[in-house]
Amino acid sequence: MKAHQGIRLLLVDDEPHILQFLELGLINEGFDIRTAPDGMSALEIAAEFKPHVAILDIMMPGMDGFDVCRYLRDEEPDIAVIMLTAKDEVDDRVKGLSIGADDYMVKPFSFEELLARIQARLRNRFPGLLGEVRCGPFRIDSRRKEIRFKDAVLELSPTEYELLQYMVINHGLVLSKPMILDKVWGYDFGGEENIVEVYIRSLREKLGDKEHRIIRTLRGAGYRVDLI
């Protein structure tokens, strides 16, 4: 059984070639997919299909992605919403997030990055929905709270597990120390940011990552996991 079997995704875009590209890729990952070419169709499908994740293009004729997001938030408050746009406008991002979107991606984007963001949103909205998630040499089993690296089970403390899981699921994305502290330690954590460095050092030792090729440090920005 594929890791994403039983997870429902709704794709909404008025560009047929984008819909087809994303649909084929996500079906191959095991997702249950429905597509819609416009906002009204999307709402009709969502009411029956009850998707876990909706991927919405912003620029559509008639009802745009913002309007669809508002309606979905009213009717399906648990759904994860990822907005797509061809414009890298700060105002659009702020508007999308303010009306309830969980994430925002600018076209063109890589399929691998979209998949990572879908998995991250599922983790946030539907804990435990994903069984074993495969990311390159990593296998994350959320039910057993276990991570395998190159088929070997890593001996991790609970905090190390949460940290490595968060970074692997978001592989390819730059994660700042404040982001990591918020997701792993909690928003009310009163300690120092240096605790992140201590745990990163421990994870690198357990991964045999002496050259920092797996967990990379981007000075002044944060950390990024690269799948090798």
Side-chain angles (χ1 to χ4, degrees):
M1 184 178 76
K2 293 187 178 181
H4 304 112
Q5 189 167 330
I7 299 175
R8 300 181 298 276
L9 263 65
L10 173 60
L11 303 174
V12 188
D13 201 305
D14 63 336
E15 298 184 51
H17 68 282
I18 292 179
L19 274 185
Q20 184 179 31
F21 168 73
L22 294 179
E23 181 180 19
L24 290 175
L26 292 168
I27 286 175
N28 190 55
E29 292 292 330
F31 292 101
D32 186 2
I33 304 294
R34 298 291 186 278
T35 65
D38 56 67
M40 289 302 298
S41 299
L43 294 179
E44 292 174 2
I45 293 170
E48 179 181 353
F49 183 51
K50 305 295 184 184
H52 295 100
V53 181
I55 300 173
L56 309 175
D57 184 40
I58 289 179
M59 303 299 292
M60 295 185 292
M63 180 180 287
D64 64 18
F66 294 129
D67 291 331
V68 176
C69 182
R70 288 191 188 93
Y71 277 101
L72 288 177
R73 273 287 162 261
D74 289 340
E75 300 299 324
E76 304 289 342
D78 291 334
I79 191 173
V81 177
I82 300 175
M83 309 289 287
L84 305 180
T85 183
K87 300 192 303 180
D88 187 12
E89 297 289 345
V90 173
D91 288 346
D92 275 358
R93 278 179 284 175
V94 171
K95 182 177 179 180
L97 296 173
S98 68
I99 63 175
D102 297 276
D103 210 339
Y104 192 104
M105 294 187 68
V106 178
K107 300 175 184 177
F109 52 83
S110 72
F111 179 80
E112 289 74 18
E113 181 180 357
L114 176 62
L115 183 59
R117 293 190 184 223
I118 290 171
Q119 291 173 332
R121 301 289 75 77
L122 286 168
R123 289 287 181 195
N124 292 338
R125 290 276 180 179
F126 303 96
L129 181 63
L130 296 176
E132 182 181 87
V133 177
R134 301 183 180 187
C135 297
F138 293 95
R139 302 290 184 271
I140 302 174
D141 190 329
S142 60
R143 296 187 178 93
R144 295 183 179 181
K145 297 293 183 181
E146 180 179 279
I147 299 179
R148 292 177 176 268
F149 177 66
K150 296 181 178 179
D151 294 325
V153 176
L154 297 172
E155 296 296 329
L156 303 173
S157 70
T159 301
E160 287 174 335
Y161 168 84
E162 294 296 333
L163 175 57
L164 186 57
Q165 174 191 241
Y166 174 58
M167 298 186 73
V168 170
I169 290 295
N170 289 282
H171 65 86
L173 306 180
V174 179
L175 306 173
S176 67
K177 286 183 180 178
M179 291 171 63
I180 292 172
L181 286 171
D182 179 52
K183 293 296 184 182
V184 178
W185 277 268
Y187 72 93
D188 56 349
F189 176 72
E192 298 291 330
E193 287 189 355
N194 289 343
I195 191 68
V196 176
E197 297 176 15
V198 174
Y199 275 83
I200 292 291
R201 188 180 309 121
S202 176
L203 289 178
R204 282 171 171 158
E205 290 178 0
K206 293 183 178 185
L207 293 169
D209 188 21
K210 295 181 180 180
E211 299 180 355
H212 302 181
R213 294 180 59 235
I214 302 170
I215 303 178
R216 296 187 180 273
T217 300
L218 288 83
R219 296 196 180 278
Y223 301 95
R224 185 187 72 216
V225 163
D226 287 346
L227 303 181
I228 61 173

